[in-house]
Amino acid sequence: MEERVLLLHGFNKNSRDMQTLSIYLEHQGFHCRSLDLPLTYHEFDQSIYLVEKHLSDMISQKDTPIHLVGHSTGGLLIRKVLQETEWKDSIGHCVQIATPNRGSQLAHVASKITGYTEHYKTLRSLNATYIEQLNLPDMTPFAIGAIAGNRNHLWLGKLLQGENDGRVELDSVYYPGLADFIKLPYGHKEIHHQKEVAELTARFLLTGHF
């Protein structure tokens, strides 16, 4: 059975940012599709209809499970998709990479800068209060694994308290409903380009654990 994966990029990125991970997963025998999502100037949940459209297209082509993998904001989008999708029976395993499940301190800081989140509206979605209002359940029937980084070598990371990857705090990635959780010594911008991360992602998609 061909294992299929839908890849979701993060804030202010596009499908090219997931290309390295896609190539690794293709070498592991997965068939990957990377989406271009409006994750810069719009709240992240406005991307759901695009994910739904591609899920529908993929399901119509072949009736096998579709795994979801997202970096940063893309991982948060996965949880919203799992809550809203009409294709629940067709979703396989899911992996979040450096995803701010409990919100981003940096997004909160950005909200204090006049006009910044009015322009970069996706950042609004990363505020802890916004995420809480989505009422995303911790416990779901889906197996979700999260990979977090703790290499803080970005100057913005100096604004954060506790272990972080230079953008997202370790404590924000973890939540109780995860099937598995692992932290690795990588920064936010590099973590999803690492072979080790790709291998762990492939393992989780196949087995439900890292």
Side-chain angles (χ1 to χ4, degrees):
M1 182 178 70
E2 185 182 58
E3 302 280 345
R4 297 181 295 165
V5 184
L6 198 56
L7 297 165
L8 310 179
H9 62 79
F11 167 67
N12 202 25
K13 299 293 184 181
N14 56 39
S15 60
R16 290 191 300 276
D17 193 51
M18 303 299 282
Q19 186 173 8
T20 306
L21 181 57
S22 178
I23 291 170
Y24 277 135
L25 292 176
E26 293 272 358
H27 286 163
Q28 295 285 336
F30 294 91
H31 177 73
C32 298
R33 180 184 293 195
S34 297
L35 304 191
D36 283 310
L37 299 163
L39 292 177
T40 301
Y41 305 114
H42 302 278
E43 281 87 351
F44 85 95
D45 45 340
Q46 290 191 26
S47 295
I48 290 174
Y49 78 96
L50 283 174
V51 179
E52 281 286 276
K53 178 182 176 183
H54 283 273
L55 283 173
S56 176
D57 179 53
M58 293 170 76
I59 290 164
S60 68
Q61 293 176 15
K62 191 175 294 185
D63 188 21
T64 56
I66 300 166
H67 306 298
L68 302 176
V69 176
H71 173 246
S72 195
T73 310
L76 198 57
L77 178 59
I78 286 174
R79 291 181 67 195
K80 187 62 176 172
V81 168
L82 295 180
Q83 184 186 49
E84 301 286 339
T85 185
E86 64 177 283
W87 309 113
K88 287 181 170 63
D89 293 340
S90 298
I91 304 295
H93 294 153
C94 305
V95 174
Q96 299 179 313
I97 303 170
T99 293
N101 284 300
R102 298 183 183 278
S104 164
Q105 289 181 32
L106 289 180
H108 179 70
V109 171
S111 70
K112 304 298 183 185
I113 303 171
T114 303
Y116 198 79
T117 54
E118 305 306 313
H119 186 62
Y120 298 106
K121 292 180 181 177
T122 301
L123 285 176
R124 293 181 187 171
S125 310
L126 304 183
N127 194 298
T129 303
Y130 185 99
I131 294 172
E132 288 170 8
Q133 291 172 348
L134 294 175
N135 292 316
L136 298 172
D138 277 358
M139 307 303 295
T140 73
F142 303 98
I144 306 174
I147 301 173
N150 67 348
R151 180 172 182 243
N152 176 6
H153 64 299
L154 300 171
W155 72 268
L156 280 174
K158 309 306 178 186
L159 300 175
L160 302 176
Q161 297 177 348
E163 267 189 290
N164 65 83
D165 64 5
R167 288 288 187 274
V168 175
E169 310 82 20
L170 205 68
D171 287 346
S172 181
V173 180
Y174 177 82
Y175 68 95
L178 291 169
D180 207 347
F181 174 82
I182 190 170
K183 69 175 181 178
L184 299 172
Y186 301 117
H188 191 78
K189 291 186 174 183
E190 69 197 31
I191 189 167
H192 55 308
H193 297 293
Q194 304 301 313
K195 184 177 181 182
E196 180 181 11
V197 170
E199 290 172 345
L200 287 167
T201 297
R203 185 183 305 166
F204 189 92
L205 297 183
L206 291 172
T207 68
H209 60 78
F210 294 124

